[in-house]
Amino acid sequence: MTRAELIDHLFNQLLDRKSPLTMHDVDAGVRDILDVMAESLARGMRAEIRGFGTFTVSVRAARQGRNPRSGEAVAVPEKRVTHFKPGKDLRAGVDQQASS
């Protein structure tokens, strides 16, 4: 699901509930949530949504790699990567869908 599809889906659900929110309001809300999460991760903090999962930042240490063509040693610098750990409810829901 893309961000645009998420916004459209949320807007349609809100229409069904007779919400006064516009498509622009929903778009701004989703973008704000994602921006806050991205900023939090950029600062090295974690972002947790209960029942859905936790996003954390891990550091991969610098290491010596190899060029697969030449076999020459290559220095691979330290790198920060985002890691997602699904929550209990998400894991159970995905597992239930897979077994159906």
Side-chain angles (χ1 to χ4, degrees), residues 1-2 6 11 18 23-24 26-28 31 33 38 43 52-53 56 59 61 64 75-76:
M1 175 178 277
T2 65
L6 174 63
F11 179 69
K18 309 270 192 263
M23 178 70 90
H24 179 73
V26 175
D27 180 42
R31 287 180 188 272
I33 289 169
R43 288 192 308 253
F52 181 72
T56 56
V59 178
Q64 283 289 353
V76 178

Side-chain angles (χ1 to χ4, degrees), residues 2 6 16 18 41 48 53 58 65 67 69 73 79-80 84:
T2 65
L6 174 63
D16 292 343
K18 309 270 192 263
L41 292 169
E48 178 179 345
S58 302
N67 180 332
R69 284 192 175 169
K79 184 177 185 177
R80 292 172 36 154
F84 175 71

Side-chain angles (χ1 to χ4, degrees), residues 71-84:
E72 178 183 343
V74 178
V76 178
E78 180 179 271
K79 184 177 185 177
R80 292 172 36 154
V81 294
T82 306
H83 176 74
F84 175 71

